[in-house]
Amino acid sequence: MTAEPLRVIPLGGLGEIGRNMMLIEQGEDLIVVDVGLMFPEEEMLGVDLVIPDFSYLRAHADRLRAVFLTHGHEDHVGALPYFLREFRAPIYSTRLTDGLIRVKLGEHRLLAEADLRVVAPGEPIQAGVFEVEFFSVAHSIPDACGLIIRTPLGALVHTGDFKLDHTPVMDQHTDLIRLAQVGAEGCLLLMADSTYAEVEGYTPSEELVGEALRNILVNARGRVIVATFASLISRVQQVIDAAVFCGRKVFVTGRSMIDNVQMARQLGYLNAPDGVIAGVEEMRNTPLERLVVVTTGSQGEPTSALTRMANGDHRHITIAKGDTVVLSATAIPGNEQAVYRNVDNLFRLGADVLYNRVSNIHVRGHASREELKIIQGLLQPEYFVPIHGEYRHLVVHARLAESVGVPKGNAFVLTDGDVLEIDDEEARLGDRVPASYVYVDGLGIGDVDQHLLRDRAHLATDGVVVVIATVDKQTGKLARTPELLSRGFVDVEEREDLLEQGRQVVANSLRGAEHYAEFSDINARVRDALSKFLYDETRRRPMVLTVTVEV
Amino acid sequence: MTAEPLRVIPLGGLGEIGRNMMLIEQGEDLIVVDVGLMFPEEEMLGVDLVIPDFSYLRAHADRLRAVFLTHGHEDHVGALPYFLREFRAPIYSTRLTDGLIRVKLGEHRLLAEADLRVVAPGEPIQAGVFEVEFFSVAHSIPDACGLIIRTPLGALVHTGDFKLDHTPVMDQHTDLIRLAQVGAEGCLLLMADSTYAEVEGYTPSEELVGEALRNILVNARGRVIVATFASLISRVQQVIDAAVFCGRKVFVTGRSMIDNVQMARQLGYLNAPDGVIAGVEEMRNTPLERLVVVTTGSQGEPTSALTRMANGDHRHITIAKGDTVVLSATAIPGNEQAVYRNVDNLFRLGADVLYNRVSNIHVRGHASREELKIIQGLLQPEYFVPIHGEYRHLVVHARLAESVGVPKGNAFVLTDGDVLEIDDEEARLGDRVPASYVYVDGLGIGDVDQHLLRDRAHLATDGVVVVIATVDKQTGKLARTPELLSRGFVDVEEREDLLEQGRQVVANSLRGAEHYAEFSDINARVRDALSKFLYDETRRRPMVLTVTVEV
């Protein structure tokens, strides 16, 4: 009997960064790997978050058997609150990931509805025809895992986000032995992290960062402030270790950093001797040269603690000469301007600032090319799908795979919504499924569309002008001089003349006609005349809205 | 007799990138170095360009003796058309710079008004008390220069943008011998390019890029498309040389690339044997493997030739499998998303894309740290001002200067509008002068202010809602149900209910009162009630504009 085809369906994270989500289905069974969110790009004006398109899953919800989360980063778990409004299934993750999503679901009051199950690497989980096993990987958050997914057709391996690190901070190695065993049994399909598939060589170990931080804390003559990702628990551990080493106290600031540190300590993921972590009062009474501050804001987020310090309006910390600020993170693409604005402002306040371009205080959490080759060598997969990355990363990764042994034509560069069908003879692309961006804006989920974004972009560029034409309902003619109202277009006090002329232009545009049957005629005529006039005068194209009032 | 103090006044380019301009004055004489523009940052919504603030110069125009332009890049000459509307003085530059600004001033119909004077390095120019001499520097455009400015107090050196390149493409070395002579005579003040003051070591030579391009052209089996800056004439020369070497024809596309290539050939800055450069017809009749295309668009500019190719709507060139696209440029900060979107789209169309992260096809035009130290060593200045760079670059450069011999306290980190006063005893900061951003938006120069930009940001985020309240002029009460009009807020067809309820909220907000003395009372009451309702319902805050019409 020929098994039904296995279908691999990425709904996010392929051809873009973030919003990772993948469906894997065969016959009557469907499982989900990760339910992530993406932060909006520049042109997604006013959008808060972007989540995956659940349409296909909605139509096949009866076949959903389980959800597997590889690790606790927002781009892998952040869309869970939206997912849980519609779907029910057991949600499997390792311990710290579970802790992080409990915090998040608690905030959304969805904890009661979620069937959360903690698993350890190596435990097999049955989900329909699939048997899924987590395996440990090194990444920039503890308890990160990849997945071994056994199917009737063979074993799939999904790496999640990973790198190889032979001297990790919290003993979290990528489990090469387990991967070698799967390779020996035979790997049907490998799906591997492509984020740094462009980067030659090896990603350095976290150990390097530990040394650099310790040197900074030993040598700084004043207070040291370290900014990093709130989820980068291992980095926080390194700061605590360095602080203990040189007798400094640690003050934690920034809402998400405080929450994560507390949760990680409770779950035993952070090891801080008694008395090392200081509250506000103790911090105030400690000499600056005996202090380290750990803070959020490494991405220049506008309301983060570090940005508040850089702007001189943090409640507890006033930056001054003698302070050393360490940005232990790289700027995620799109955040560069905000990050460097903070750096500049901190320098202006007199601090010394160490950041990635001048110091060795961050390593990436993703595998570089030589590491990717090792994974290929251990698994020797029949088919390969590069995952997690923008399109160019996927292309480069697919080429790498073919260069080290994946049969020519068996590396598939998929993008979101593509369907890879595998049976016991071949793999091929099936019909695509919907995978558009679903925008979250305020309470609205999916109601912001391209049309609305185009209007926002238009408003952003040249503002808005509202024309109010009062029309006599008997004669159909203008009853009085039209009014103009504008915002974001010109300085209305300085350009009173322009708006006055605009009123005349509107009036003239309606002169001569006998009677307008339709308001829409009036509106179109007014809009065209006024738009042209304003463009000729200013070379700007404000959005012109016309309102006709009958009197 | 004590000389009057020398005053150095940066109006742009210090603490930011671009818009370079500096005033140097002593007694009755004032000279200008560079008159550049800056491209708008993300939050400068709808702004086309940013130019320097001319207020101080306006008040002292009678003392203006001359303008000196270091090289032809937009961030050093781009604001000239705006400058020339107000100021008259001889404008000195070297030959190619002069050619470039003639093209630009011609477009602005300002050529007749400009007193342009071509000078060669080494020629002394008298401008009031100042004697100014250009000296050659290596940079990413031919004829780039720095300035030696002799004053009654001593010699100043302004490097312009530069690097050291011992094997430059067009024989354009940085004149180390001339600098050494000035150093031997005594250098009062050095002002040096800080753009890459963070980068350790040496900037590689242009020679490397030549080799890389030749290898690509030799090995590519199809058409090669090279995108770079239109002003990077030496890179275009390298492409032509490589094309000649391997028997390819060169097709040039993109308006500014076509103009610059033509101008550079006329002036003798580009050396292309007859028959190498092909027109559209010849290009069409040439096999793809015998073609190189040189194009604009290396920064992902939306209307550039490369972006049109990446979007599949270039008039002459359709990207296909077999094409190799070379991005011979780095993404300027802020342009990353646009650049990488093009890379992704070109990959999607089947091209192979070589860009800086995967290939060695661009070198920077600015000096790295070891080069900066050499300049310090040759000049051994008494005072130092780092120029051209964001604030952190200036800080890092000032420290570098102090580490190699500038006396402690004699390196001044200035920002735009600061005034450095030097007399024969000391240097100190004087009172600041105005140096705000002057925004150009369409025909408006300086009329876009923070208030207008805040309005645009508000409109961009959540759109606009216009309320039209029709009030009976006898009773002062609502004459009919208010109307609502919205753009960029919600999908008006989907949320008919919300707008309907909004109308009721407006009506209710005006109920009960007897008579409104002022429209402003009505407007404020309506705005508050409706804003609150809409926020509660959507968690969005559109701009609410209210119009009251009396009937």
Side-chain angles (χ1 to χ4, degrees):
Chain A
M1 184 195 95
T2 305
E4 288 185 83
L6 180 74
R7 288 160 48 93
V8 172
I9 310 174
L11 291 182
L14 269 62
E16 60 174 42
I17 292 283
R19 197 180 66 125
N20 293 292
M21 181 168 183
M22 183 168 274
L23 310 184
I24 296 171
E25 60 175 7
Q26 190 170 29
E28 286 309 300
D29 301 305
L30 185 160
I31 59 174
V32 173
V33 179
D34 289 338
V35 189
L37 63 76
M38 176 173 136
F39 294 101
E41 296 181 355
E42 208 176 298
E43 70 277 12
M44 302 174 184
L45 293 167
V47 170
D48 300 326
L49 305 170
V50 187
I51 63 173
D53 185 337
F54 299 141
S55 326
Y56 181 83
L57 192 58
R58 205 169 282 134
H60 299 272
D62 57 315
R63 298 196 283 124
L64 173 62
R65 302 287 168 253
V67 176
F68 299 89
L69 304 175
T70 58
H71 63 283
H73 280 152
E74 290 287 350
D75 55 334
H76 293 260
V77 304
L80 265 187
Y82 305 95
F83 179 90
L84 282 171
R85 291 175 196 200
E86 298 192 55
F87 306 105
R88 289 287 169 276
I91 297 172
Y92 295 94
S93 67
T94 47
R95 203 153 144 262
L96 182 73
T97 310
D98 185 75
L100 286 164
I101 62 182
R102 277 178 191 276
V103 171
K104 173 184 287 286
L105 295 180
E107 287 164 7
H108 282 82
R109 298 167 190 280
L110 284 164
L111 207 45
E113 275 109 297
D115 177 6
L116 302 180
R117 305 189 187 183
V118 176
V119 291
E123 284 178 25
I125 302 139
Q126 203 69 40
V129 292
F130 301 108
E131 188 191 277
V132 180
E133 175 191 329
F134 286 73
F135 66 95
S136 173
V137 297
H139 183 47
S140 47
I141 186 169
D143 272 12
C145 282
L147 302 172
I148 299 159
I149 303 167
R150 293 174 199 284
T151 78
L153 282 168
L156 323 183
V157 172
H158 184 295
T159 65
D161 285 353
F162 85 105
K163 63 174 175 176
L164 306 186
D165 188 338
H166 306 290
T167 50
V169 177
M170 300 171 79
D171 203 28
Q172 187 187 357
H173 292 265
T174 293
D175 191 344
L176 299 178
I177 292 176
R178 194 77 194 94
L179 290 177
Q181 290 168 339
V182 176
E185 294 165 22
C187 175
L188 178 66
L189 169 67
L190 169 63
M191 297 169 273
D193 179 7
S194 312
T195 315
Y196 279 90
E198 291 167 338
V199 180
E200 292 294 343
Y202 291 87
T203 300
S205 170
E206 288 281 330
E207 195 180 44
L208 279 191
V209 177
E211 287 169 24
L213 286 172
R214 199 163 53 236
N215 283 338
I216 292 166
L217 263 64
V218 168
N219 291 310
R221 272 174 286 181
R223 180 168 57 180
V224 178
I225 295 160
V226 181
T228 193
F229 299 100
S231 61
L232 190 37
I233 309 287
S234 62
R235 193 64 48 82
V236 177
Q237 182 69 61
Q238 288 176 310
V239 175
I240 293 173
D241 292 347
V244 170
F245 178 82
C246 62
R248 289 177 185 253
K249 295 210 178 277
V250 178
F251 176 70
V252 180
T253 184
R255 178 47 42 204
S256 57
M257 186 63 84
I258 292 170
D259 289 349
N260 276 6
V261 165
Q262 188 185 7
M263 188 272 301
R265 289 183 78 188
Q266 276 166 7
L267 294 181
Y269 285 87
L270 258 186
N271 177 17
D274 288 346
V276 167
I277 298 203
V280 174
E281 272 313 304
E282 196 177 353
M283 188 266 285
R284 291 230 163 101
N285 296 325
T286 305
L288 295 180
E289 69 275 14
R290 300 253 67 90
L291 267 180
V292 191
V293 176
V294 178
T295 179
T296 53
S298 67
Q299 296 303 305
E301 304 92 327
T303 60
S304 67
L306 186 69
T307 303
R308 292 204 305 271
M309 292 179 211
N311 294 337
D313 57 7
H314 188 280
R315 201 146 50 107
H316 303 306
I317 294 168
T318 306
I319 298 289
K321 202 165 163 60
D323 285 337
T324 303
V325 180
V326 181
L327 283 191
S328 191
T330 36
I332 292 172
N335 295 349
E336 292 89 349
Q337 280 194 9
V339 170
Y340 287 116
R341 189 169 303 151
N342 275 354
V343 172
D344 287 341
N345 287 335
L346 291 163
F347 267 127
R348 277 183 233 271
L349 293 171
D352 193 9
V353 190
L354 302 174
Y355 52 105
N356 66 325
R357 294 199 68 169
V358 294
S359 198
N360 202 359
I361 42 175
H362 181 63
V363 293
R364 301 179 298 265
H366 300 272
S368 302
R369 292 174 66 83
E370 291 305 314
E371 296 159 85
L372 297 173
K373 290 178 190 169
I374 289 170
I375 298 301
Q376 294 282 348
L378 289 173
L379 286 163
Q380 299 179 17
E382 190 172 341
Y383 300 107
F384 175 64
V385 170
I387 58 173
H388 306 165
E390 302 195 40
Y391 195 81
R392 62 192 179 281
H393 305 142
L394 307 180
V395 171
V396 166
H397 197 182
R399 289 186 187 164
L400 175 147
E402 292 192 343
S403 78
V404 295
V406 168
K408 189 89 187 159
N410 282 12
F412 289 85
V413 176
L414 306 184
T415 54
D416 300 337
D418 278 343
V419 176
L420 183 70
E421 292 185 350
I422 306 179
D423 60 25
D424 45 19
E425 302 206 325
E426 56 158 20
R428 64 191 164 265
L429 289 183
D431 292 338
R432 282 176 53 81
V433 307
S436 36
Y437 286 133
V438 175
Y439 299 122
V440 177
D441 180 5
L443 297 179
I445 302 169
D447 70 326
V448 171
D449 58 11
Q450 288 307 319
H451 179 77
L452 210 62
L453 290 181
R454 264 198 305 277
D455 279 352
R456 288 182 183 173
H458 187 170
L459 291 165
T461 306
D462 285 330
V464 63
V465 174
V466 183
V467 190
I468 305 96
T470 314
V471 175
D472 186 312
K473 77 177 131 194
Q474 311 299 327
T475 66
K477 298 199 170 181
L478 271 186
R480 54 185 91 137
T481 310
E483 288 186 66
L484 291 193
L485 193 64
S486 90
R487 287 289 188 285
F489 167 49
V490 291
D491 184 322
V492 285
E493 289 175 17
E494 301 257 321
R495 299 307 306 271
E496 185 51 50
D497 60 314
L498 182 72
L499 300 181
E500 177 56 37
Q501 289 173 51
R503 278 193 284 272
Q504 292 308 321
V505 168
V506 172
N508 292 342
S509 74
L510 295 176
R511 189 158 296 158
E514 279 310 298
H515 195 288
Y516 294 99
E518 297 282 349
F519 278 2
S520 59
D521 293 351
I522 302 181
N523 288 344
R525 195 180 268 245
V526 165
R527 194 167 49 240
D528 292 350
L530 186 61
S531 296
K532 181 174 184 314
F533 167 74
L534 294 176
Y535 179 73
D536 288 345
E537 292 292 314
T538 65
R539 290 286 185 281
R540 299 179 194 170
R541 298 187 188 282
M543 181 180 279
V544 174
L545 301 178
T546 54
V547 180
T548 311
V549 181
E550 265 190 329
V551 294
Chain B
M1 188 195 95
T2 306
E4 287 185 82
L6 179 73
R7 288 161 48 94
V8 172
I9 310 174
L11 291 181
L14 270 60
E16 61 176 39
I17 293 282
R19 197 180 65 126
N20 293 292
M21 181 168 182
M22 182 168 275
L23 309 185
I24 297 171
E25 60 176 6
Q26 190 170 29
E28 285 309 299
D29 300 304
L30 187 160
I31 60 174
V32 173
V33 178
D34 288 339
V35 188
L37 62 75
M38 175 174 137
F39 294 102
E41 297 182 355
E42 209 175 298
E43 70 277 12
M44 302 174 185
L45 294 167
V47 170
D48 301 325
L49 305 171
V50 186
I51 62 173
D53 186 336
F54 299 141
S55 326
Y56 181 81
L57 192 57
R58 205 169 282 136
H60 298 272
D62 56 316
R63 297 197 283 122
L64 173 61
R65 302 285 169 255
V67 176
F68 299 88
L69 304 175
T70 58
H71 62 284
H73 280 151
E74 290 287 350
D75 54 334
H76 292 260
V77 304
L80 264 189
Y82 305 95
F83 178 88
L84 281 171
R85 291 174 197 201
E86 297 193 56
F87 305 106
R88 289 288 169 277
I91 297 172
Y92 295 93
S93 67
T94 47
R95 207 154 140 261
L96 183 73
T97 309
D98 186 75
L100 286 163
I101 61 180
R102 277 177 191 276
V103 171
K104 173 183 284 287
L105 295 180
E107 287 165 7
H108 282 82
R109 298 166 191 279
L110 284 164
L111 207 45
E113 274 110 297
D115 176 5
L116 302 180
R117 306 190 186 182
V118 177
V119 290
E123 284 177 26
I125 301 140
Q126 202 68 40
V129 292
F130 302 108
E131 188 191 276
V132 180
E133 175 190 330
F134 286 72
F135 66 94
S136 173
V137 299
H139 183 48
S140 47
I141 187 169
D143 273 11
C145 283
L147 301 172
I148 298 159
I149 303 168
R150 293 172 200 285
T151 78
L153 281 169
L156 323 183
V157 172
H158 183 296
T159 65
D161 285 353
F162 85 105
K163 64 174 174 175
L164 305 187
D165 188 338
H166 306 291
T167 50
V169 177
M170 302 172 78
D171 201 30
Q172 188 186 357
H173 293 266
T174 293
D175 190 346
L176 299 179
I177 292 176
R178 194 76 194 95
L179 290 177
Q181 289 168 337
V182 175
E185 294 165 25
C187 175
L188 178 67
L189 168 67
L190 169 63
M191 297 170 274
D193 179 7
S194 311
T195 315
Y196 280 89
E198 289 167 340
V199 179
E200 293 293 342
Y202 291 88
T203 300
S205 170
E206 286 282 329
E207 194 179 45
L208 280 191
V209 178
E211 287 169 23
L213 285 172
R214 198 162 54 234
N215 285 338
I216 292 166
L217 262 64
V218 168
N219 291 311
R221 272 174 287 182
R223 180 170 54 182
V224 178
I225 295 160
V226 181
T228 193
F229 299 100
S231 61
L232 191 36
I233 309 287
S234 61
R235 194 63 49 82
V236 178
Q237 182 69 62
Q238 288 176 310
V239 175
I240 293 173
D241 292 347
V244 171
F245 178 82
C246 64
R248 289 176 184 254
K249 295 210 178 277
V250 179
F251 176 70
V252 179
T253 183
R255 180 46 43 203
S256 57
M257 187 64 84
I258 293 170
D259 289 349
N260 277 4
V261 165
Q262 188 186 6
M263 189 273 299
R265 289 183 79 190
Q266 276 166 5
L267 294 181
Y269 284 87
L270 260 185
N271 178 17
D274 287 346
V276 168
I277 298 202
V280 174
E281 272 314 303
E282 194 176 354
M283 189 265 286
R284 291 230 164 99
N285 296 326
T286 305
L288 295 181
E289 68 276 14
R290 301 253 66 91
L291 266 181
V292 192
V293 176
V294 178
T295 178
T296 53
S298 66
Q299 297 303 305
E301 304 91 326
T303 59
S304 67
L306 186 70
T307 302
R308 292 203 305 271
M309 293 179 210
N311 294 337
D313 58 8
H314 189 279
R315 202 145 50 107
H316 305 304
I317 294 168
T318 306
I319 298 289
K321 205 167 161 58
D323 285 336
T324 303
V325 179
V326 181
L327 283 190
S328 190
T330 36
I332 292 172
N335 295 348
E336 293 90 348
Q337 281 194 9
V339 170
Y340 287 116
R341 187 170 305 149
N342 275 354
V343 172
D344 287 342
N345 287 335
L346 291 163
F347 267 128
R348 277 182 232 272
L349 293 171
D352 193 8
V353 189
L354 302 175
Y355 51 105
N356 66 324
R357 294 197 68 168
V358 295
S359 199
N360 202 357
I361 43 175
H362 181 63
V363 293
R364 301 180 298 266
H366 299 270
S368 302
R369 293 174 65 82
E370 290 305 314
E371 295 160 86
L372 297 174
K373 289 178 192 168
I374 288 170
I375 298 301
Q376 295 282 347
L378 288 174
L379 286 163
Q380 299 180 17
E382 190 172 341
Y383 299 108
F384 175 63
V385 171
I387 57 173
H388 306 165
E390 302 196 40
Y391 195 80
R392 63 193 177 280
H393 305 141
L394 306 181
V395 171
V396 166
H397 198 182
R399 287 185 188 166
L400 174 146
E402 292 191 342
S403 78
V404 295
V406 168
K408 189 89 185 158
N410 281 13
F412 289 85
V413 176
L414 306 184
T415 55
D416 300 336
D418 279 343
V419 176
L420 183 69
E421 292 185 348
I422 306 180
D423 59 26
D424 45 19
E425 302 205 325
E426 56 158 21
R428 63 189 166 266
L429 290 182
D431 292 337
R432 282 176 54 81
V433 307
S436 36
Y437 287 132
V438 175
Y439 299 121
V440 177
D441 180 4
L443 297 180
I445 301 170
D447 70 325
V448 171
D449 58 11
Q450 288 307 319
H451 179 76
L452 210 62
L453 290 181
R454 264 198 305 276
D455 279 351
R456 288 181 183 174
H458 187 172
L459 291 165
T461 307
D462 285 329
V464 62
V465 175
V466 183
V467 190
I468 305 95
T470 313
V471 175
D472 186 310
K473 77 178 130 192
Q474 309 300 327
T475 66
K477 298 200 169 180
L478 272 184
R480 53 186 91 139
T481 310
E483 288 186 65
L484 291 193
L485 193 65
S486 90
R487 288 290 188 285
F489 167 49
V490 293
D491 184 321
V492 286
E493 288 174 17
E494 301 257 321
R495 298 309 304 273
E496 186 51 52
D497 59 315
L498 182 72
L499 299 181
E500 179 55 40
Q501 289 173 52
R503 279 193 283 273
Q504 293 307 320
V505 168
V506 172
N508 292 341
S509 74
L510 294 175
R511 190 159 295 156
E514 279 311 298
H515 195 287
Y516 295 100
E518 299 280 350
F519 279 3
S520 59
D521 293 351
I522 302 181
N523 289 344
R525 196 180 265 245
V526 166
R527 193 167 50 239
D528 292 351
L530 185 62
S531 296
K532 181 175 184 313
F533 167 74
L534 295 176
Y535 180 74
D536 288 345
E537 290 293 313
T538 64
R539 290 287 184 279
R540 298 179 195 171
R541 298 188 189 279
M543 182 181 280
V544 175
L545 300 179
T546 55
V547 179
T548 311
V549 180
E550 264 190 330
V551 294

